Amino acid sequence: MMTPMRYVLLVLIIIISLHYILSFSHEGYGNATSLSNIRDQLHFGGEKGAPPYKTPLPDEYIHPPKVANPLERKANATFVILARNSDIQGVAMSMKQAEDRFNKEFNYPWVFLNEEPFNDEFKKRTRELTDAEVHYGLIPKEDWFQPDWIDEDRAKAAREKMVKDNVIYGGSLPYRNMCRFNSGFFYRHELLKNYRYYWRVEPNVQFFCDLHYDPFLVMQDQNKVYGFTVSLYEYAATIPTLWQEVKNFLKENPGLMPGDNAMKFLSDDGGETYNRCHFWSNFEIGDLDFWRGEAYSKFFDYLDSKGGFYYERWGDAPVHSIGAALFARKDQIHFFNDIGYRHEPFQHCPQGEAHSKGKCWCSEKDNFDYQWYSCLKRYDALFQ
């Protein structure tokens, strides 16, 4: 018979375990999953096949290190960082690694965006880290702050409830502004309007491997629209009505989805429910024209009109992921297997030949790809 003390200890262990699972990521993107979700990740039906990233890149993309000049052919592309002046140390760390691992050979420009003007220290330190062009942009107020038509009483009540429920960033209005901006406005900024491709970089991230080919040219030549390194489950409490609104949009706007889309990455029942898988958008290499296109523009405007960025806490990661999965072909979504990357607490560390070829300094054992809360298995299954 269990004593009262043992019973109390058992309850505490269960509570701590659940808290750990639900709050594993500082972004709140842990997997509050069900047994059926775990089962689905362990087995996928269909014909056997390999996803595209497991096919080596053609030799013409690769050139040896320490070449004086990079390939003459370049894409119309840029790095993009959304940051505040106070983020300068984290920005410098991320930028330095991106330059050392890749950009010192390719010299792509950098675009920095902020809701306030960048100060002289920020500009000095970032300019010292690259030989490429650097541009600093101010975000228009109407693209950043909560719109006037949002019912603030309702939004405030939602924030307070999320704080009470311990939802990560649940009480943060600036975080919501950031999610909405990244979902639907960054690609419209004046400094980005003449670019076709972008690589999103955030402060305090790590790049583990040398990269001696141009991922922007891979996007361009192979007609890719979205590239990722980490995929996982969204925190359910942040998006209670998002999928219903997605279904409403698709019903009202038939014909926008290509036949060979990636719906199976998002849903296990043909679109009836959302399994919460998404690409972790703190790393993205993407096609700006895809976001500017008719399908995604209509999609974002519809979602924005529902107020879920403020009445709930819709993140740009699920919004971008759903948009890419539904409005692009599945072969236009690319897993950059050889780009070693970490955003706390998750990392993608290339394995085997990719690890040695890239001179990666991450441990192959510390790799998120096929952990039970990763969605990479579902991406792989699109091609099986």
Side-chain angles (χ1 to χ4, degrees), residues 160-179:
E160 290 174 349
K161 184 178 187 304
M162 286 193 179
V163 170
K164 189 178 297 184
D165 294 341
N166 295 315
V167 176
I168 189 77
Y169 299 123
S172 174
L173 181 56
Y175 188 84
R176 287 170 168 81
N177 292 337
M178 179 272 292
C179 289

Side-chain angles (χ1 to χ4, degrees), residues 165-342:
D165 294 341
N166 295 315
V167 176
I168 189 77
Y169 299 123
S172 174
L173 181 56
Y175 188 84
R176 287 170 168 81
N177 292 337
M178 179 272 292
C179 289
R180 179 172 177 261
F181 175 77
N182 279 330
S183 294
F185 294 98
F186 86 95
Y187 51 86
R188 309 183 199 189
H189 194 278
E190 184 75 13
L191 289 179
L192 293 174
K193 69 178 184 179
N194 293 323
Y195 290 109
R196 174 68 186 273
Y197 299 99
Y198 72 99
W199 181 332
R200 175 173 163 181
V201 177
E202 291 206 350
N204 297 299
V205 300
Q206 297 176 352
F207 295 101
F208 295 120
C209 310
D210 291 343
L211 194 66
H212 299 300
Y213 73 88
D214 189 339
F216 293 123
L217 289 179
V218 172
M219 300 289 288
Q220 175 180 290
D221 295 350
Q222 299 184 17
N223 194 25
K224 307 291 186 182
V225 300
Y226 193 85
F228 72 99
T229 55
V230 174
S231 61
L232 63 163
Y233 291 89
E234 178 60 295
Y235 189 31
T238 66
I239 53 165
T241 68
L242 175 59
W243 191 251
Q244 184 58 53
E245 294 298 352
V246 171
K247 292 197 295 181
N248 293 343
F249 172 80
L250 295 176
K251 185 176 181 180
E252 294 179 19
N253 296 271
L256 292 179
M257 291 194 300
D260 198 16
N261 59 60
M263 172 68 86
K264 288 184 179 179
F265 176 76
L266 305 172
S267 177
D268 307 322
D269 51 18
E272 183 59 29
T273 60
Y274 178 33
N275 61 28
R276 305 193 307 281
C277 277
H278 67 285
F279 308 113
W280 217 20
S281 60
N282 48 69
F283 173 101
E284 293 178 328
I285 299 178
D287 183 342
L288 291 161
D289 281 355
F290 176 75
W291 303 132
R292 297 167 182 144
E294 178 189 8
Y296 186 79
S297 294
K298 285 184 175 180
F299 178 64
F300 171 75
D301 289 343
Y302 178 89
L303 292 183
D304 194 35
S305 71
K306 301 303 175 181
F309 291 102
Y310 296 97
Y311 300 141
E312 296 177 10
R313 206 224 67 189
W314 295 353
D316 56 279
V319 172
H320 272 193
S321 301
I322 292 169
L326 296 184
F327 306 124
R329 300 188 316 271
K330 65 184 182 183
D331 65 355
Q332 292 181 293
I333 300 172
H334 183 71
F335 175 49
F336 279 101
N337 184 43
D338 42 11
I339 298 181
Y341 174 77
R342 182 178 184 87

